[in-house]
Each structure stands twice: as structure tokens, then as C-alpha cells.
Amino acid sequence: ESRVTIAYRLRSTFDYGLFGGEGVSVGNNALVDSYSSSGRPTDGGNGDVGTNGDTITVGINTDIRGEQETSAGKDMEPKEVPDGASSWTNKTMELFMLLPNQTIDLDAGEYYAYLVNISDNSTINITGDVTLYVSSFTFAWNNGTVNINPGGSLTIYAGGSISLWNNFTANPGLPPGSLVIYGVTGCNNIVLGNNSSIRAAIYAPTADITVGGNGVVYGSLVGESITAGNNTRIHYDEDLQYVDPGSMAVEQYFAGD
């Protein structure tokens, strides 16, 4: 009697913990694993790392609790900016913070900003479902915070590079799927500085993404290249497979008696 076993994998925008189109490098003493933000049972072993290229570099004493896949063939087309986004409610003045210790509230809606600058010890509070198109650069300085209130979400279309400097915090306590960042054409670099902590799903296929030393990411990072520094912690949220899902793909095929 012959037996055929086919294993499937759900292809989605966020189907890896780390994915670099051209390559991935993870420093020393780092960890890549998985969890479920909804509390589904998991052994934590789905922190997959992948590339469409042929190079995944893993440092000394680094633990990758998942597959390491080269020549993956992942679709890396940039997302499109939504039609009319440049005409959304303009929040450039409010979001260009020059002084420290500021707090800006964004309620549910669609907003445009030419540039975002979160100054030292400042906070953006999100209430409800917010979509933000930033046509130029996004900066956050020491101890800057993006806080999403329960029940809210933030989707960012970033048309320029993103620099989130030391001790930046985003979306503390909520599922990564409530903060989705799409780096569109023109977003060439994303830097998460040393000691940063972010819960987010980031898809920026034209960007080199760097996570500084001791950085912590809950979610998924997809870029042209990924560099994660020493002592970083990347915790892939398996529930992100259902955010922007694609087709089912055959991953393994066995035939025999």
C-alpha cells in the first residue's frame, strides 16, 4: 500500500520571524524563537529565518529555534500607498515634535504627515484604528514611545527611512498585529537602536533593517536585508501568519509504502 504525505505552509507577508531578501545576519548571544500572542499552544520552535539569497549568518551562542531557509522564493513586492493618502488629514505640525516630553493623541482616522519626529521622552497615543502615511522620514529619539490603547491599531505606510533610536518603545503589551509598518518604495533603511523594544510586523522589502544590540522585537521583520546585533531577542508571533495571508504552498512531499 502506497502512502503519500504532503506538508503545507501558509504563505503570508509575515511568515518568518526574520526574512531578508538578500540575506540575514544575526549577532552573538541572540535568540530567535516564536510564541502566540493569542495564547495558542506552541513549542516556540517556529522562529524561522529566511532569505531569497544564499546567506544566513548566525553568531556565536545564538539560538535559532526554527528553520533556516535560503533560496526561499518569497514575493518581495513593495506595498502600494493607498489612493488619496497625500490628502488625508495633515498632522505634520503635531507629529514634528521639537521639544522633549510631549504627548500627541491620534484618534481613529486616516492621517498624512510629511515627516514624523518623536522627541526625547515623548509619546504618541493611538486610540481606535489609525492609518498614517509618512511621505518622508520617521525619527524617534531617546525613550520615545508609540502607545496603542487596547482595541486600537496603527498601520503606517512609510515613504522614507525610519530611525528609532536608543530605548525606543512601541506598542507595549499589545499583539504585534496591532502595529503594522509597510515600508513602501523610498524606504531604504530602518534602524531600531540599542535597547529598543517593539511589538510590530514590519514589511519593507527595499529597506536594510538593523536591530541594535540588546534590542527586543515581538513580531516579524521582512526587509531587503536583516542585521540583528548581539544579544537581540526576536520573538516571532505565529498569529501574524493570518495578517495579510497569501496562498498555501507545498513545503515537503513524501511518497512511499
Side-chain angles (χ1 to χ4, degrees):
E1 180 179 336
S2 297
R3 178 171 57 90
V4 176
T5 300
I6 301 174
Y8 291 94
R9 175 178 185 148
L10 178 63
R11 292 293 186 184
S12 76
T13 300
F14 304 110
D15 48 3
Y16 293 82
L18 298 175
F19 192 93
E22 296 184 352
V24 177
S25 176
V26 184
N28 300 330
N29 303 304
L31 170 67
V32 183
D33 64 3
S34 68
Y35 79 113
S36 166
S37 60
S38 65
R40 293 185 301 107
T42 174
D43 63 2
N46 292 309
D48 297 345
V49 176
T51 179
N52 287 340
D54 57 9
T55 303
I56 296 174
T57 303
V58 178
I60 299 170
N61 296 322
T62 287
D63 188 3
I64 307 294
R65 299 180 187 175
E67 297 181 1
Q68 299 180 46
E69 183 179 5
T70 58
S71 303
K74 182 177 175 64
D75 182 7
M76 295 288 282
E77 284 296 315
K79 296 291 184 179
E80 297 289 335
V81 177
D83 291 340
S86 296
S87 300
W88 291 348
T89 303
N90 196 316
K91 289 288 184 179
T92 301
M93 293 298 293
E94 293 93 327
L95 295 176
F96 184 53
M97 305 179 196
L98 292 175
L99 300 176
N101 303 304
Q102 297 187 64
T103 299
I104 301 297
D105 297 321
L106 289 181
D107 296 327
E110 297 175 329
Y111 303 103
Y112 165 78
Y114 173 72
L115 183 148
V116 171
N117 183 70
I118 306 173
S119 54
D120 291 1
N121 301 301
S122 292
T123 299
I124 297 176
N125 277 320
I126 302 296
T127 301
D129 295 323
V130 171
T131 303
L132 174 64
Y133 169 45
V134 184
S135 59
S136 186
F137 299 105
T138 299
F139 299 102
W141 304 99
N142 299 328
N143 304 303
T145 301
V146 173
N147 180 60
I148 301 175
N149 290 299
S153 68
L154 174 60
T155 301
I156 298 175
Y157 292 87
S161 294
I162 300 173
S163 297
L164 309 175
W165 294 107
N166 301 337
N167 303 303
F168 173 79
T169 302
N171 196 22
L174 288 187
S178 59
L179 174 55
V180 178
I181 300 174
Y182 294 121
V184 300
T185 300
C187 179
N188 298 322
N189 290 282
I190 296 177
V191 177
L192 309 177
N194 296 337
N195 305 304
S196 293
S197 177
I198 184 169
R199 294 173 182 261
I202 300 177
Y203 177 76
T206 62
D208 298 318
I209 301 178
T210 301
V211 183
N214 302 300
V216 178
V217 176
Y218 289 84
S220 174
L221 302 179
V222 181
E224 184 172 56
S225 70
I226 303 289
T227 302
N230 296 337
N231 305 302
T232 50
R233 296 290 183 267
I234 311 296
H235 307 295
Y236 172 60
D237 182 6
E238 297 175 17
D239 296 335
L240 291 175
Q241 296 176 77
Y242 308 104
V243 175
D244 231 351
S247 60
M248 298 296 290
V250 176
E251 186 153 89
Q252 296 179 4
Y253 178 88
F254 303 96
D257 294 330

